[in-house]
Structures are given as C-alpha cells and as structure tokens.
Amino acid sequence: MKKCVFHIGFWVILMLCSSCVSRGVREAQEVVAQADSLWHDGQMYGIDAGDSATLAQAYETLDKSTAFCRRIREIFPFAHSTSSLGTYSHACYHYGRLLREKDDPVAAMQVFINATHSHTGDYHILGRVYSNMGSICHLAGEFPLSYDMYERCADMYLQNGDTLLYYYGLNDMAFELAEQGKKDSCFLLINDIVTNNPNDSILIAYSHMSQAQACLFNAQYDSTIYYAQLSKDYFPFIISTTIQLAQGYSYIGLKDSATFYAKQVLLKSNALSEINNALYILTNDDKTKDLKEVRQAAADRSDVQKMLETRQGKMSQAVQLLEQDLTSKPNLAWLYAISITIIIIGLIIWLYVWRKRRQHALLSQQIEDLTIKNKEAQDMQTKRYHDRLRQIQENCDVLTNSDNIVDSLQWKNYDKFCECVNVNFFLLADKLKATSSLNEKEIRFCVLVLIGSYTDKQMADILYYSYNSIRSTKRILAKKLGTTSANLRSFLIEKAAK
C-alpha cells in the first residue's frame, strides 16, 4: 500500500513538471534553439544575428512558465528534470551574455543567478554560467568570490565528463589565487594541469600566464618574465602575457623592453585594466617621448581610470547581488501547503544521509589526492632545481674547454655577452643587474668566477686587472652580494639555479 502511494505521488510530480511545457513557450524555445545554433558557430544572438528584444521576451516567458517546475525541483531534487528547465537555463545563459555585452552586469548577474536556481541537469551550461559569474567577480576585484565561482564552474564540467574544460576551470581558479598572491597554491594547481595535459599548448600557455601573475604579485619579476615568455612560446596570441612582460621589465629597470611591450598592449588589447597599466608604463618609463606626448599618455590614462571606476561601480553592484543570493535562505513557506506522505518524507531523509556520506567520502578522497599532489609538486621542484645545477655545471665545463672563452661568451660586446650568459645560466646577467649594485666589470668578474676554472692570473688577463687586485676585487664583490670570497661561486650557482 505504501509503495503504491509513493508511485502515485511520484507520477503526479512528473505530470506537474511536464505541464510546464505548453504551447505558449514553443516560440521561446525556438528562439533559444536559434541562440544555441549561433553560439556553436561562435556568434551571439542579439549581436551578430537576431533581435535582443526577442531574446529578452523568450527569457521572460520561460522564466514564468518554468517557475512551478523549479519549485518542485527545490522540494524534490530527485524529481524528473524536464526539457523546459534545460531550455530555461540556456535562455538565462544567452540573455546574461547579451546583457554583459551591453554593459549591464547587474542585470546579467541576476539572470545568471536565476540559471543556477534552474535545477537543470545540463551541467555544461551551468559551467558556462558560473564562469561568467566568476568573470564579473574578477572584474570587481572580488578574487576569493571569483575563485569560488570558478571552482563551481570546474565542478560542473567534471560532472558533465568534460575533462578539458574542467582543467581550464582549474586554471581560472589558479589565476584567482595568483591575484591574491597565493603563489604556492597557484603553482600546485598548475602542476596538476600541466601534468595531465602535456599536449594542449593553449592550456599550458594559459597556465604559465597564471604562474607569471603569481610571481608578479609576489615581486618575483625575473620569474614573471620567465613564465610570461614561456606562455608566449606555447601560444603567442595571449595579450595578458604582453602586459606581464611590460610590468616585469619595468620593475627590474629595463625601461626599453617595458615600453616595447606596453606599446604592443595598446595596439592589441581592449581590456581597460591592461590599457591602464600600459599607459602607466609609457608615462613613466618611455624616455623617447617629449613632454607633450607624456602629458597625452597621462591624460589618456586618466580617461581610462574614469571608465574603470564606472565599471567598478557596476561590477560591485553585481557582486552584491551574488553575495545576497549566497547568504539568503529560500522562502519555502508555500511548502507547508503541500501534503507530503510519510513515504516521501522517509525517502528524502534517506537521500539526505546518502548524499552526506557520499560528500564525506569525496572530501576524504580530495584531501588524500591533494596530499599526494603536494608531495609530487615538491619532488618536481627539487628535481627541477638539481637539473638546473647539472645544466649549469655542464655549461661551465663546455666554456672551460672552449678554445677561446672571449669569443664563446661574446666578451667584447656587453649586450651580447649578457644575452649569452642569460641563455646559458638561466638569466643570471639580468639577476645580477637587478641588484643595482654591480657594474659591467663586476658582472663579467662574476661570470668568470661562476665558470670556476680560471686562475687569478688568467682572470686578471681577461679582465685587464692587475694580478694583485684579483683577490681584493673578489672580496669586495662577495661583500656586495652578501657572501664571502670562499662561497662566491656557490652563491652565484645557486642564484642562477633558483
């Protein structure tokens, strides 16, 4: 008898949800189908084709027609998910994107929030929705909240079985960690991404971009340049790495390189924050401009900052909507009007316990996986360090056995000499320049000490120093670098390897 009552109640729920699809929503469904088709072709409904008012009307129609189904799904998560709920979630996604394109992030956020409450089983579209919400939070500067949205986005893709988009979601999470200066956590995620996707050059390029951002926020500018350039090597069309290079070179004092990349940003980027940073560099670092050009760059930057302030206000309002939704409790007062049988209540309790146990098991597995990945990341860093030490020693041996060290190191041309040292010893010349306390001869002296096979007399001949001054010069140089004469070579090797 109880089993019979349960089946009757369940089929009543199915019939009520099925009634959500009526003749009044068919036109709206057709509009959403057209928007899906344009989306798959890389276009947007209401921008490239179709009428924005038509899409807005379709969204409103589906929002009203599926309201009851969505309430049923709130009460009975196990109930049948109708196609209307899937269509409604797609309408939310397309209309939200259109509102973002029309510079209305507040309305867009509300539409995206509605999509998260659609209770659809279309995890792919929910992943897209959470990705847009994360993007809005990022533009508002709410990086922890943006990380949370990208985490939900990645989880949706994982539930949908799309591992590639899942790892793109992980990279978005890593970038938000980078924006918070959490370098270790960022690199831990990136190691997971690169390890599992060794052949996806675009994903690896974005991963290195996240690493560059983490280094930038931790004032590790040499590493910023290294990872940004590495990103460009994999995929040269990411503009964000260009501004990273500009900022990195600006901070280490290479003004010409900084202005070179800043000018590229102005030519290729539409992102206000990137344009703002590029104009700052051109205002302060470009020594080729006259006073009029500098003032124009400053005026342009002022205009961009005003636009950023306006956008920031809108994005902050959108984030407030999201925060209110996350902290609000659903109003289920109408629930008490519905008669629920004892069998259905028992089923809900059983499902609750089952889901809790599953979540607990999943959490335990995630903790175990993170522990393993953390150890693997540490082992990988240690291996990379020792590989660099070995490579440095091999390069030293090659230069030692060279017939003419002057020619091998491009000794007569200081710029080419520095390039050669950077290539063979992991940007050592730039690292020594960044100390701002060493001159050209001292840097050359450091390189000879690093190679380690020359007597004081040989070094004096190469550097045109007197033999008696070599030891005193080495002692003064070691003091400048914060070490001793005896440990100077070890210090330089370690500095190059890091």
Side-chain angles (χ1 to χ4, degrees), residues 7-67:
H7 281 294
I8 292 173
F10 185 74
W11 282 107
V12 168
I13 293 173
L14 289 181
M15 291 174 64
L16 289 172
C17 286
S18 299
S19 67
C20 293
V21 182
S22 63
R23 289 189 297 269
V25 300
R26 289 178 182 172
E27 290 183 0
Q29 290 175 334
E30 292 176 359
V31 171
V32 175
Q34 293 173 15
D36 281 339
S37 179
L38 287 170
W39 171 39
H40 294 146
D41 291 335
Q43 297 179 314
M44 183 183 294
Y45 192 97
I47 299 295
D48 302 301
D51 179 42
S52 58
T54 303
L55 181 58
Q57 183 60 48
Y59 162 76
E60 294 291 340
T61 300
L62 291 171
D63 184 56
K64 294 176 182 178
S65 67
T66 60

Side-chain angles (χ1 to χ4, degrees), residues 333-346:
W334 59 277
L335 173 62
Y336 301 105
I338 300 176
S339 298
I340 302 177
T341 64
I342 297 176
I343 299 298
I344 294 178
I345 293 175

